[in-house]
Amino acid sequence: MKLNYRDKIILGALLAFVILLAGFFLLIKPKYTAIKDDKAALTKAEQERDDVDAKISEIKPLQERIKKTYDDTVTLTNDFVAYNDMYNARKVDQYMQHFAEDNEVKILNLNATDVGSGSVDYYYFTPTFVGDDLLKAADLNGDRQAANAELSAESDSLKDRTKENILSSNYTIAVTGTRENIWNYLKAIEDQDKTIIINNVSLNGIIISPDQYEKQADFLGVELSDEEKEMLEDDAEATANITITLYSVYDLSEPNVEAD
């Protein structure tokens, strides 16, 4: 079949269209699909990167909060006697020895215990109100009862709390010395900055308030005995029996905030 010029033009145009169409399906469309998939993958990767960056930005403040909590806890635990200073009776005696030496009291006998697990109560003052029922009857506006409730709020809150577990050791000691030295010994223990609590003190051979004692005797016209006069002297020797408790806690392990 012989084609004229017009048919050749049409056939050439059709052939060019077929070639372009085949090229689109064979080359361009797969590449377009690949580009589209790559864009989706890129968007997902960017989202994951943003999520990771957000988490990373939270790590530093969290590390700082953990470190601050640790530092605050260490500051609190520094108030307690170091465990290594009281883990057995010998260490307790060594730790407490300098108080007697510094204040020139002589130790007559002592008993120290190894550290053990115990509990510590909250320290608070419980106010008492005489004639509480009468007060309620007289307090028509409730002002006094409200004031009393405010005074009692702290003790009411603390008395029902669970006692906390703690490490403790008891130190019972009898010392002899002048009145001033015994006062200084007790004050030195009271003033030190660790959790050492004086639970009980009993004194023999001493008059606690000599000036008041003498004034009362003069007022009553009573003649003091030689023994009483000796006990009034500044250098009067006395014996004190003292019960003390030392408290400790284990050191807190430092958190590894740099861990993976």
Side-chain angles (χ1 to χ4, degrees):
M1 179 180 178
K2 190 175 180 179
L3 299 176
N4 57 30
Y5 178 77
R6 180 174 174 276
D7 293 335
K8 289 179 180 180
I9 294 297
I10 294 173
L11 182 60
L14 182 60
L15 182 61
F17 177 75
V18 171
I19 292 172
L20 289 174
L21 188 62
F24 174 78
F25 282 103
L26 295 176
L27 298 175
I28 299 176
K29 186 176 181 180
K31 183 64 67 175
Y32 173 77
T33 302
I35 292 173
K36 185 178 179 181
D37 292 342
D38 289 344
K39 285 185 176 179
L42 177 60
T43 301
K44 182 178 179 182
E46 289 175 341
Q47 182 61 50
E48 291 176 350
R49 180 201 62 195
D50 292 343
D51 292 342
V52 171
D53 288 344
K55 291 179 180 178
I56 291 174
S57 67
E58 294 175 356
I59 290 176
K60 191 63 177 177
L62 178 60
Q63 289 174 330
E64 292 174 351
R65 288 197 298 271
I66 293 173
K67 186 66 168 60
K68 184 179 185 305
T69 301
Y70 169 76
D71 292 340
D72 291 344
T73 303
V74 169
T75 300
L76 290 175
T77 58
N78 284 339
D79 292 337
F80 293 88
V81 180
Y83 175 78
N84 289 338
D85 289 332
M86 55 171 285
Y87 63 81
N88 62 28
R90 180 177 61 83
K91 297 293 289 185
V92 171
D93 181 37
Q94 289 178 344
Y95 185 82
M96 296 296 298
Q97 190 70 228
H98 76 91
F99 292 108
E101 295 172 353
D102 294 346
N103 296 284
E104 300 179 0
V105 296
K106 180 180 179 181
I107 298 175
L108 300 178
N109 58 69
L110 65 88
N111 179 56
T113 64
D114 294 342
V115 68
S117 178
S119 62
V120 61
D121 203 350
Y122 294 92
Y123 178 81
Y124 56 88
F125 169 72
T126 302
T128 57
F129 307 102
V130 179
D132 190 47
D133 291 338
L134 296 175
L135 175 62
K136 291 178 181 178
D139 186 20
L140 298 180
N141 296 320
D143 296 337
R144 294 177 183 175
Q145 293 177 73
N148 291 352
E150 184 175 351
L151 292 173
S152 303
E154 181 183 48
S155 60
D156 290 343
S157 172
L158 293 176
K159 68 182 180 181
D160 294 327
R161 289 192 182 182
T162 303
K163 294 182 180 180
E164 302 297 333
N165 292 329
I166 200 168
L167 302 175
S168 63
S169 178
N170 292 322
Y171 187 68
T172 304
I173 187 170
V175 299
T176 185
T178 65
R179 173 177 34 234
E180 182 179 4
N181 288 347
I182 289 177
W183 287 162
N184 290 339
Y185 174 74
L186 294 172
K187 191 172 189 313
I189 296 174
E190 179 185 5
D191 290 346
Q192 54 78 44
D193 60 357
K194 301 299 180 182
T195 49
I196 302 175
I197 308 300
I198 299 174
N199 299 312
N200 180 270
V201 178
S202 63
L203 294 170
N204 296 309
I206 190 173
I207 294 175
I208 296 177
S209 303
D211 292 340
Q212 183 177 352
Y213 194 87
E214 285 185 297
K215 288 179 180 178
Q216 185 176 12
D218 288 342
F219 179 77
L220 297 174
V222 177
E223 180 70 23
L224 297 178
S225 66
D226 292 340
E227 182 180 0
E228 287 175 313
K229 291 178 181 179
E230 288 180 5
M231 289 191 291
L232 290 173
E233 299 294 331
D234 290 337
D235 59 351
E237 291 286 326
T239 300
N241 295 289
I242 308 164
T243 303
I244 298 169
T245 301
L246 295 81
Y247 294 100
S248 183
V249 293
Y250 289 116
D251 292 335
L252 183 66
S253 299
E254 185 170 2
N256 182 10
V257 295
E258 303 297 334
D260 294 333

